[in-house]
């Protein structure tokens, strides 16, 4: 049933993208395909894609760019986290999205909930997990601005850091950027128009180069004065595991000159890891869209 659901949705999205009702430009798809198809990738090494989230159609429509044969394999199809109050609202939707490899996630229950645990387990069995780091739709016209007036990608949720830290093997982490989907499904429209895509949108999907594990590992050097972290943010965590969690505990124990309590140190690293991923995704967005971080093309 899960394979049938994924295949039906994937083929429907592929048909829509091929219909001429919108146009789509895809760049760097070979990066994701190389990661998923690599014979040298260990069985326990997962793949993580992290993307901006600009419409309710980002997932699943983006995956219409994948080869159709991927829809027949759970290892080649993403697992995603989906908000309970948005898509798991009744038994029919709950069954549909669960069969579509979506993990029910409860806003406000923090980073130590079941969906995050399951996402880590999926990585540890070599699966692909897709993350919308912002945790909700944020269309570019709502982005915050920095001191120079440039748009900034909203802050990522710290669950991103936990998922990457607690995988047993450093996963392949691929940043993504999408444009135009906010024109296809603008937010804030009244019923029934909010459920109807605007045809003629020009879409793009860009896959960036994988983020080196060494760059993520550098988060171990974090301090409470690091601009990427909020030292007041504490988490009641269980014992930290995973490739980066184990290393962080060992380094903290050895660094007697500036030792933190374990919960504080893990919290700092988790925030730093999340900030690194956020920075890479935003940098990819600027390479695609410039300082606006929006669709570089005028409305059709």
């Amino acid at each position: 049933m899960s394979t049938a659901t994924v295949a039906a949705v994937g083929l429907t999205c592929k048909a829509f993208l091929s219909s001429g009702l919108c146009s789509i430009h895809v760049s760097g798809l070979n990066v994701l395909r190389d990661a998923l198809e690599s014979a040298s990738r260990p069985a326990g090494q997962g793949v993580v894609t992290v993307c901006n989230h600009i419409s309710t159609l980002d997932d699943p429509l983006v995956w219409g760019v994948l080869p159709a044969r991927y829809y027949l394999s759970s290892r080649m199809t993403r697992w995603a986290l989906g908000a309970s109050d948005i898509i798991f609202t009744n038994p029919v939707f709950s069954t549909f999205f669960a069969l579509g490899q979506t993990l029910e996630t409860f806003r406000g229950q923090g980073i130590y909930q079941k969906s995050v645990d399951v996402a880590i387990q999926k990585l540890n069995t070599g699966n692909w997990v897709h993350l919308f780091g912002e945790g909700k739709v944020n269309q570019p016209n709502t982005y915050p601005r920095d001191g120079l007036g440039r748009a900034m990608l909203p802050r990522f949720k710290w669950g991103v850091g936990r998922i990457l830290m607690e995988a047993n093997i450093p996963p392949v982490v691929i940043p993504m950027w999408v444009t135009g989907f906010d024109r296809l499904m603008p937010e804030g429209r009244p019923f029934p128009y909010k459920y109807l895509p605007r045809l003629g949108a020009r879409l793009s999907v860009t896959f960036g180069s994988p983020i080196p594990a060494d760059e993520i590992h550098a988060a171990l050097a974090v301090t409470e004065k690091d601009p990427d972290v909020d030292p007041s943010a504490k988490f009641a965590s269980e014992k930290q595991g995973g490739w980066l969690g184990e290393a962080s505990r060992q380094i903290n124990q050895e660094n007697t000159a500036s030792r933190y309590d374990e919960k504080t140190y893990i919290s700092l690293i988790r925030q730093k890891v999340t900030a690194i991923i956020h920075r890479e995704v935003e940098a990819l967005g600027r390479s695609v869209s410039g300082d606006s971080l929006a669709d570089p093309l005028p409305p059709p």
Side-chain angles (χ1 to χ4, degrees), residues 27-269:
S27 178
L29 179 58
N30 62 295
V31 175
L32 177 61
R33 294 188 62 176
D34 288 347
L36 294 175
E37 298 178 14
S38 173
S40 62
R41 182 163 60 94
Q45 183 183 40
V47 174
V48 177
T49 48
V50 190
C51 189
N52 60 320
H53 196 11
I54 58 174
S55 89
T56 55
L57 285 184
D58 296 349
D59 189 303
L61 192 57
V62 165
W63 311 124
V65 307
L66 297 175
R69 60 185 173 84
Y70 280 22
Y71 308 143
L72 303 177
S73 169
S74 63
R75 183 177 167 89
M76 308 295 276
T77 308
R78 100 290 174 263
W79 288 84
L81 281 66
S84 177
D85 61 330
I86 301 295
I87 61 176
F88 289 85
T89 53
N90 60 59
V92 174
F93 284 3
S94 295
T95 300
F96 173 77
F97 285 105
L99 289 173
Q101 297 189 183
T102 304
L103 307 173
E104 184 175 12
T105 306
F106 296 88
R107 288 173 173 164
Q109 291 192 10
I111 64 175
Y112 292 102
Q113 57 179 292
K114 183 179 179 180
S115 62
V116 180
D117 295 338
V118 174
I120 295 167
Q121 293 169 9
K122 293 300 179 183
L123 289 180
N124 289 339
T125 53
N127 284 279
W128 165 23
V129 172
H130 179 71
L131 301 173
F132 290 114
E134 301 152 77
K136 65 176 184 177
V137 170
N138 288 292
Q139 299 201 316
N141 61 354
T142 68
Y143 283 0
R145 302 278 170 170
D146 65 13
L148 300 176
R150 300 186 307 168
M152 298 186 299
L153 186 62
R155 181 182 71 81
F156 280 4
K157 302 296 184 181
W158 290 323
V160 173
R162 186 194 166 207
I163 289 171
L164 296 183
M165 290 174 67
E166 293 200 28
N168 290 337
I169 300 174
V172 180
V173 183
I174 299 172
M176 288 178 57
W177 193 262
V178 297
T179 68
F181 289 81
D182 55 320
R183 298 187 186 276
L184 185 66
M185 286 294 282
E187 293 283 287
R189 293 182 296 167
F191 178 86
Y193 303 105
K194 65 179 181 179
Y195 296 113
L196 301 175
R198 285 182 172 174
L199 305 183
R202 286 170 286 193
L203 316 176
S204 77
V205 181
T206 303
F207 298 86
S209 298
I211 303 172
D214 287 348
E215 185 173 337
I216 301 174
H217 192 273
L220 293 173
V222 71
T223 69
E224 288 188 327
K225 295 182 179 180
D226 193 303
D228 286 330
V229 304
D230 175 8
S232 66
K234 302 294 193 298
F235 299 96
S237 72
E238 66 255 19
K239 187 175 183 179
Q240 186 80 26
W243 73 286
L244 203 57
E246 294 290 350
S248 65
R249 184 162 52 254
Q250 180 178 351
I251 288 177
N252 192 42
Q253 290 172 349
E254 293 173 352
N255 191 8
T256 55
S258 58
R259 183 180 298 165
Y260 300 103
D261 70 86
E262 184 173 327
K263 290 180 180 178
T264 298
Y265 187 52
I266 292 296
S267 170
L268 296 176
I269 296 171

